[in-house]
Every structure is written in structure tokens, then in C-alpha cells.
Amino acid sequence: MDQVINQKVSEWLEGSYDEETKAEIKRLQAEDPQELNESFYKSLEFGTGGLRGIMGVGTNRMNKYTVGMATQGLANYVKSQVNESPKAAIAYDCRNNSSFFAEVAANVLAANGFTVYLFDELRATPELSFAIRELGCHTGIVLTASHNPKEYNGFKAYWADGGQVVPPHDGNIVAEVRKIASVDDVKWEGGEGKVVKINAEVDEPYLKMLEGLAVSPEAIKAQKDLKIVFTSIHGTGITMVPRILERLGFENVHIIEEQAVVDGNFPTVVYPNPEESEALSMALAKAKEIDADILLGTDPDADRVGIAIKNHKGEWTLLNGNQTAALLFNYVISARKKAGKAQPNDFVCKTIVTTDLIDRFAKANGMPCYNVLTGFKYIAEVIKEKEGKENFIVGGEESYGYLIGDSVRDKDAIAASSMICEMAAYYKNEGKSMFDQLIDIYVEHGYFKEKLISITKKGMSGAEEIAQMMKDLRANPPATINGSTVLEMRDYQSSETTDLTSGEKSVINLPKSNVLQFILEDGTKISARPSGTEPKIKFYFSVNTSIASADEFDSADAALEEKVAKIIEDMKLN
């Protein structure tokens, strides 16, 4: 490994890299050899979120050269797949260097003969997806690291359908990038005049599309004073969420101004992640102060949204992604039916680690729910496959990503925010809270409680530890967990389900992915998945029970909470 690293370092010091980059490499050699090793021991590759990493010099870092080489590989592949003059759209978020990386990518694509539509101000990831389809592009790029810490940035590549690249395109793009022997193979300039700056040309049709998603406009009109607190956590949500809420008719929106400031250093939070209660603490304080009806917080590129509402005891609570998904899916399905908008070929879609409660009420409504691998690109792939035959209405994943309608092909926190506020208005108009509705769903379809734990293992040794954990689980699946027999193991890497009592195997008809699931006799489901974008392994726990009335919710909740804790203890994950 040391020899490989030294060779890469020499190539950068002797190659066509700027002097600032070479000076930084020499500084690391003298002052921080461990960081130098981390920066060069591998090359960034596409995961579920594309190219993502810490910013800095080196093959394993986000910088001008890794972005340029990725863009050149993308350009080469797109040109091999289209028979016309190629077109691309590019957007970027609030992160440090995002606008710079966007310009780098735009210049490389333009030098390769592309007409490039580049947003001249930061815009949300879902608007980039919309722009690809609106402008008839063959590909698209958004520069973002989503909810990662401030040291990170990333490069998401999209295809002509507006979805992130999926097999075989993603692998083929990586293969093209690997063919680029040096930065000298990148066309850095020569496309003058082929970069077209955009903003309003896409903003207006995007907002009109969002307006058209409303299912119950009369509820919004009746509850136009709904007290909404919104924070963009220094990110791109500020560009569109307030605008669409105003256009829908909401007149009482309170923006957390300190976090409306666009800043890639995210000065008011530890992590710009709406999954973290700390990131929403300022908004929560405001919600309590004004006795708000709902709180919304979007991540830096506004593709994910976290919400807080009052529970059945009047206490503010942050919903997890599964709870929000359950509410959102249930509302879209039922409200469309009530409004006479439901179609016989409607369908919904979610990931394999998202609550199975959604499968239950989709089935109860006579509607298919397609389950796909983790990564919203797989939901987009299903939408594309079903286009013209079945009608997609809502999709989502437990990590706070949701999509309404098929005009965008990635998770859309702007559309989700507007639909969540409409939902809050709808239930308030009926004299009930969103939490009341959530409990009603549990009574009707079963109470599912989910928990996610992430174990971080950084660097070279961390990657090896995570790989060994997955290897051990595959080789020695547990016979029982917390006293319940493990009935089957689903291995999405080998595309096989194994009945652990009979040994019989069956095929999983999904792309291969490094995910394991264990299905227990008592209905528990446990999933293990190394993150595609972070140095983590994630364990997802889902337990369930039935409750006959809302009065049973608290006791059932406590019992399931204890059950999950015992499972984690039994698996030695705490």
C-alpha cells in the first residue's frame, strides 16, 4: 500500500497540477503523513450518492482534479451513448467550493462539445433533476455532499430521465474515469460560449409543477394561518420552500433567519442534518415560542426534510423518517381517493429498509408498493420502467427523502415540504393533529417501530473492519436474536434468500448490493448495510405489534422500545 501511495504522490508532484496543490502535498509529507496516506490510498468512486469525499489534495479527496476527471469520464460515456449534440445541466449547493467545482465541471463538459446549462446561483438538487427533463438534457451534475459535515463535498451524476445514474451507467462511467491516465487527458478548456447561465427559466416551471401537486387546496385555504416554522440550515431550501408555501396560500411562515444565511461552514449547527435534533434546535425553540403547528428543516441541497410536531400529550417531538413517510404516503393515497384523483394504476415505491407499514396500507388500498435497494436512484428507475403503464404518486426512504409525482426523479424536500404543510392543514381542518393521525394509522394497520444505529469506522482500517463485520454475518448468521428464531437471511450481494431452517435458497430480483437482512419469527426485521457515502455501517431495526385503540399506544411504544434495546444488546452492537 505504501508503494502505491508513494507512486500516486510522485505523479501529482511531477504532473500537470497547480503549484498550490503541489505545495500542499509537500506540507503534508513534512507535517501530516497520516493525512497524506488517507488522501492518496484510494480513488473516490461512485456510491449510492455518486462521488463524495473530504475536500483537499489527492486522489481520495474532492478537488479540481478529481472533479475534472470524473466529469471527463462522464463526458466520454455520454458521448458514446447519444447520437446528437450532447446537453447537460449543472447545479450546486451552499457548500464551500461548490460553485467553483460547478464551474470546473461546466468548463470540462463545454470543452467536450456539450451545451451546458449552469445555474448561476445555488439551487436544490430536485430542481436540477427537474431541469434535466425540462431542458431535454442527456445528463446532469449537482455539486453537493448532502448532509455530510462541512469538510465534505460531492458530485452527483444524473441521466436523461432526471434520476441519478444506475447500473449499468454508473459502473460504465467509473470505468471511463479509470481509463483517464492523468489530468492531461482532461479537456479543461476550449468550450467558450457553450455554457448558458440559467435560473428563472427553470424556477417558474418548477414552481408551477409544485403548485399542481396539491391535492386538497381547499384545506390550505381554510388553514392559511397555519403556523409553520422553517429552517434551511444554511442551505438551498431557502431559495424555494418559502416561495412555494407562499404560492400555495400559506400566510404564516416563520423563517429562522440566522440559518437562512447561506454558509458552507454551517456556523449554527454541528452537522447540517435534519435527522439530528441539534440541527433543528433553533427552529424547535421558535416553534415552542409561537406555539406553531409544524416545524420543517431541509438539508443543504434540499432533497431531504425533517419535521417536528406535537405528540398526543402536547409535547414537541421530532418524527423519524419512517413516521413522516407513513404519514405522507397515507395522506397522498387517501386524499387523492377522497378528491376523486386516484387512478386504478396508481403505485408507490420505497426502499427495502423503509417501514413495512407502507406495504400494509398500500395493500389495503389495492395498490402495489414496489421495494427497491437503498438509494433514491432505484426509485427513479422504477418510475422510468413503469412510465406509460402505471402511475407513480409517492415514493420515499427512511432517511428523510420523499418524492411526490414524477416530474422530478430524485427525492424532493421542496415538494415534500409543501405536501406536509398541506397535510397538516388538512388534518387541522378535520380537528385532529398529525400525531393523532399517525396513531390512527397504527391502530388500523399495526404499530411499526424502527430504529437506526450507525457505527463509524474511519480510514483504511475502518473500511476493513466494516468489511469483516459483513463477512462474519454472512458466514455465521445468528440462529436466534433476542430469543426469536431467525427464519431467513436475505443477502442482496449474492441475490439469494436463504431459509435458515430448511437451507432452501430463492432468488432476489434486484441489483446486487452489500446488504443483509434477517427476518425473525416474531416479525422483527434487521438490516445491515455499509454506507455508500460515509465511513459507516448502518443497522436498521424494525419491530411491530398490534394495538386496538389509541389508549394502547404508550404501553406498546414502551414495550417495542425495550425490545429494540434488547436486540441491540444481544447483537453486541452497543
Side-chain angles (χ1 to χ4, degrees):
M1 178 61 73
D2 288 345
Q3 187 176 351
V4 171
I5 292 171
N6 289 337
Q7 183 179 342
K8 287 181 178 178
V9 169
S10 295
E11 288 171 358
W12 278 56
L13 287 173
E14 296 165 10
S16 303
Y17 297 85
D18 61 69
E19 291 306 313
E20 186 180 352
T21 294
K22 292 179 180 180
E24 175 62 9
I25 293 172
K26 290 174 182 175
R27 187 192 70 79
L28 291 176
Q29 284 180 316
E31 300 176 13
D32 197 346
Q34 180 59 36
E35 174 60 23
L36 186 73
N37 287 348
E38 295 286 352
S39 300
F40 281 95
Y41 84 94
K42 67 174 183 176
S43 297
L44 286 180
E45 292 192 3
F46 283 89
T48 56
L51 191 73
R52 190 180 298 182
I54 295 169
M55 290 177 279
V57 300
T59 58
N60 190 35
R61 295 289 184 256
M62 283 289 296
N63 52 62
K64 171 185 176 180
Y65 301 104
T66 52
V67 168
M69 293 171 81
T71 308
Q72 184 65 55
L74 176 65
N76 291 348
Y77 183 66
V78 172
K79 287 169 74 175
S80 75
Q81 298 295 303
V82 302
N83 298 315
E84 55 191 302
S85 242
K87 295 194 292 184
I90 300 178
Y92 59 91
D93 73 356
C94 61
R95 286 183 176 271
N96 296 330
N97 294 315
S98 280
S99 61
F100 169 67
F101 291 151
E103 291 280 358
V104 169
N107 291 338
V108 171
L109 288 179
N112 279 274
F114 283 69
T115 297
V116 183
Y117 299 100
L118 173 65
F119 281 95
D120 65 6
E121 293 177 352
L122 78 166
R123 283 295 181 269
T125 288
E127 189 171 354
L128 181 276
S129 174
F130 179 84
I132 292 169
R133 294 163 58 78
E134 179 74 9
L135 301 171
C137 295
H138 301 95
T139 188
I141 299 168
V142 63
L143 282 304
T144 177
S146 188
H147 59 284
N148 282 73
K150 64 183 180 180
E151 295 83 11
Y152 284 75
N153 214 317
F155 171 112
K156 290 183 187 178
Y158 288 76
W159 206 242
D161 65 326
Q164 289 185 54
V165 290
V166 294
H169 299 313
D170 55 356
N172 292 341
I173 292 166
V174 171
E176 287 293 339
V177 173
R178 287 176 177 163
K179 290 178 187 176
I180 300 170
S182 78
V183 290
D184 297 328
D185 295 332
V186 179
K187 296 179 181 177
W188 296 103
E189 53 189 27
E192 291 75 11
K194 294 189 74 68
V195 177
V196 180
K197 296 293 181 74
I198 56 169
N199 256 8
E201 302 90 328
V202 177
D203 287 352
E204 189 54 33
Y206 177 63
L207 286 163
K208 283 186 176 177
M209 179 276 294
L210 293 173
E211 285 183 272
L213 295 175
V215 184
S216 309
E218 69 287 345
I220 298 173
K221 190 173 182 180
Q223 298 293 335
K224 64 183 181 180
D225 289 329
L226 189 80
K227 289 182 188 175
I228 301 166
V229 172
F230 171 67
T231 175
S232 57
I233 317 180
H234 302 289
T236 59
I238 197 64
T239 64
M240 285 290 152
V241 173
R243 290 171 71 180
I244 186 57
L245 293 180
E246 181 182 6
R247 286 173 74 141
L248 287 171
F250 291 107
E251 298 178 357
N252 199 2
V253 180
H254 300 258
I255 295 167
I256 305 303
E257 296 297 342
E258 300 96 323
Q259 296 182 325
V261 177
V262 173
D263 191 336
N265 291 314
F266 308 111
T268 65
V269 296
V270 178
Y271 297 111
N273 185 354
E275 289 182 89
E276 303 285 344
S277 58
E278 180 274 332
L280 297 180
S281 59
M282 294 180 75
L284 191 57
K286 184 68 174 179
K288 291 177 179 177
E289 176 194 328
I290 67 169
D291 191 27
D293 293 293
I294 189 166
L295 177 165
L296 304 155
T298 54
D299 68 341
D301 65 323
D303 62 352
R304 303 186 316 127
V305 59
I307 73 171
I309 57 177
K310 289 180 191 172
N311 66 16
H312 58 307
K313 299 174 183 177
E315 303 162 341
W316 279 94
T317 182
L318 301 176
L319 297 189
N320 65 39
N322 285 301
Q323 291 172 310
T324 302
L327 279 167
L328 196 56
F329 276 66
N330 183 73
Y331 173 72
V332 172
I333 292 170
S334 60
R336 280 173 56 83
K337 186 179 287 187
K338 184 175 180 180
K341 296 180 179 181
Q343 303 296 319
N345 63 343
D346 285 348
F347 77 91
V348 299
C349 191
K350 70 177 187 68
T351 64
I352 58 174
V353 295
T354 300
T355 180
D356 292 337
L357 176 58
I358 292 170
D359 299 82
R360 287 210 182 168
F361 55 68
K363 184 178 180 180
N365 282 275
M367 181 182 301
C369 176
Y370 298 107
N371 282 265
V372 299
L373 296 176
T374 302
F376 224 88
K377 59 186 182 181
Y378 295 113
I379 293 178
E381 188 177 32
V382 171
I383 298 172
K384 185 179 179 182
E385 288 172 359
K386 305 292 182 183
E387 205 162 15
K389 297 170 284 187
E390 297 182 43
N391 182 46
F392 172 80
I393 58 169
V394 60
E397 57 186 6
E398 52 73 41
S399 56
Y400 290 53
Y402 317 103
L403 175 62
I404 318 295
D406 65 357
S407 294
V408 168
R409 299 298 171 88
D410 204 350
K411 48 190 178 286
D412 187 346
I414 299 164
S417 294
S418 60
M419 188 61 75
I420 287 166
C421 289
E422 176 188 318
M423 173 169 58
Y426 179 89
Y427 291 126
K428 187 172 185 181
N429 211 36
E430 290 198 335
K432 63 194 298 189
S433 73
M434 284 171 61
F435 205 89
D436 291 335
Q437 176 59 26
L438 186 60
I439 294 178
D440 286 349
I441 294 171
Y442 293 150
V443 170
E444 185 175 358
H445 301 286
Y447 179 24
F448 282 71
K449 188 175 184 69
E450 290 87 14
K451 184 166 185 174
L452 165 68
I453 63 170
S454 296
I455 300 172
T456 300
K457 303 281 187 180
K458 291 187 177 180
M460 290 180 281
S461 61
E464 292 167 1
E465 286 183 65
I466 289 171
Q468 188 62 46
M469 289 174 76
M470 294 297 287
K471 184 178 179 181
D472 291 344
L473 282 170
R474 284 189 169 92
N476 301 293
T480 64
I481 297 175
N482 190 36
S484 182
T485 301
V486 182
L487 298 180
E488 64 180 59
M489 178 176 71
R490 298 172 185 171
D491 187 345
Y492 292 86
Q493 186 138 286
S494 65
S495 299
E496 282 185 339
T497 292
T498 303
D499 184 319
L500 296 177
T501 53
S502 69
E504 291 183 13
K505 296 181 184 293
S506 56
V507 175
I508 297 173
N509 292 309
L510 288 174
K512 292 183 184 300
S513 181
N514 191 15
V515 180
L516 284 173
Q517 287 187 323
F518 299 98
I519 310 302
L520 278 56
E521 192 171 23
D522 65 2
T524 296
K525 181 168 77 172
I526 300 164
S527 308
R529 182 181 76 88
S531 172
T533 56
E534 301 172 87
K536 294 179 178 179
I537 181 168
K538 298 182 177 183
F539 289 88
Y540 305 79
F541 305 92
S542 175
V543 294
N544 68 85
T545 189
S546 59
I547 55 176
S549 70
D551 294 337
E552 297 180 11
F553 173 76
D554 287 330
S555 59
D557 183 63
L560 291 184
E561 183 73 29
E562 183 180 0
K563 185 174 185 176
V564 172
K566 286 181 177 178
I567 290 170
I568 293 170
E569 183 180 359
D570 191 40
M571 293 182 71
K572 297 179 172 57
L573 296 173
N574 47 5

